[in-house]
Structure formats: C-alpha cells, structure tokens
Amino acid sequence: MAIPDRVPIAYEPDYRTDTIGRYDGGLFFGSVTATLEDGAARNPDWHRFKRWYAVLHRFDDQGGHIDSQIWFAGTGEHRDDSVEKARSCLAGWLDALPGRVFGDISIKPFQVEVGGHVFGLVDQSEPHDGRDHAEFLPDGLGFAPPWDGLYDT
C-alpha cells in the first residue's frame, strides 16, 4: 500500500482541525503552530527558540496546493502574546475567504519551507519503519491507514 493521492483530513470543531474546509476558491487548512530549532529542547532557555506562526494553506478543488500564507507571530518567550497575535492573524485570513464553510477536506501531499522549517503534508513512511504515514508539519498531525481523516499527535 502507499499514501493515497489525496489524504482525507477530518474537521473536528474546537480541536486541532477546526480551521479547515472549503471556500469559493477551493479548500483551506489554517492553523496556529510552532517550530523549534534542532537541538533547542536541550537548552534551559529552549522557549527562546520556539517560533509561533499563523498559517493558511489553500488548495484547488482537487486538493492540489495553490499557496501558503505563513506569518511569524513571536517566540515562546512571550508565548501568550505570540499565540494571540497568530490567532488574530489567522482569524482575519479566514474571514477574508469568500464562501467559507468549515468541514472535512482531502488534499495532496505538498511542502513549503520557511526559516529552515517544513510546512505541509509530507510522506513520512520511511521514518515510520516503512509503514504508510503522512505527517502535517509542523503541526504534528499523523495520518495513516485506513485513511479515514483521523490523525494521531
């Protein structure tokens, strides 16, 4: 078996996939997420290396990646402020999507790089001992058979 051409992602209100759905231009996946520099977790001041982002990926009706808006909101040193700024930014982007309706989506694997970090839906089968696995990065949402839209964190 292999990763499907389009990976289903289930909409879950008030949880990690509560900002996904359709709009007049296709599909979208929005999130507030963070990256951490490699090796930073071993530092006592690791929070300085955690970077918070507002992210909005847009896709065509067939789930092909169109573009991504990725905005750096601040570091973990000021976590609450950084997260609030990212949420506010994402809310504005979502409000600007004409005909927006939250719901399940199905998208093709893709990736973009920002600041040395990968954002996207990436084939991670090799690191999972060859088992079919796609990971939404940097959100840490793992998808695997039976490809029902549910994920592990």
Side-chain angles (χ1 to χ4, degrees):
M1 213 171 165
I3 292 175
D5 290 337
R6 293 179 9 170
V7 175
I9 302 175
Y11 168 70
E12 290 188 277
D14 301 318
Y15 202 52
R16 305 275 304 271
T17 56
D18 63 351
T19 49
I20 68 171
R22 298 188 154 278
Y23 73 109
D24 290 348
L27 310 172
F28 65 90
F29 186 114
S31 71
V32 171
T33 190
T35 63
L36 190 61
E37 298 300 320
D38 287 340
R42 293 185 295 273
N43 284 322
D45 60 347
W46 63 269
H47 57 278
R48 289 186 24 211
F49 302 96
K50 191 168 193 174
R51 298 174 56 84
W52 286 95
Y53 295 90
V55 179
L56 181 63
H57 302 292
R58 290 184 296 203
F59 310 89
D60 61 28
D61 286 322
Q62 290 75 42
H65 182 249
I66 296 172
D67 64 14
S68 297
Q69 293 174 266
I70 300 172
W71 180 72
F72 170 63
T75 68
E77 282 182 293
H78 308 286
R79 182 192 184 282
D80 292 345
D81 186 48
S82 299
V83 169
E84 183 52 39
K85 284 181 190 176
R87 284 184 180 149
S88 178
C89 179
L90 178 59
W93 289 343
L94 292 171
D95 287 346
L97 292 174
R100 181 196 72 213
V101 177
F102 295 112
D104 298 348
I105 62 174
S106 185
I107 61 172
K108 297 176 183 180
F110 75 100
Q111 67 182 52
V112 295
E113 189 173 309
V114 173
H117 295 280
V118 173
F119 290 75
L121 181 64
V122 179
D123 183 341
Q124 294 278 301
S125 299
E126 188 175 319
H128 284 84
D129 298 324
R131 294 183 321 246
D132 296 335
H133 185 89
E135 191 85 14
F136 209 97
L137 300 173
D139 301 75
L141 306 178
F143 298 89
W147 307 109
D148 57 5
L150 303 178
Y151 56 85
D152 287 322
T153 56

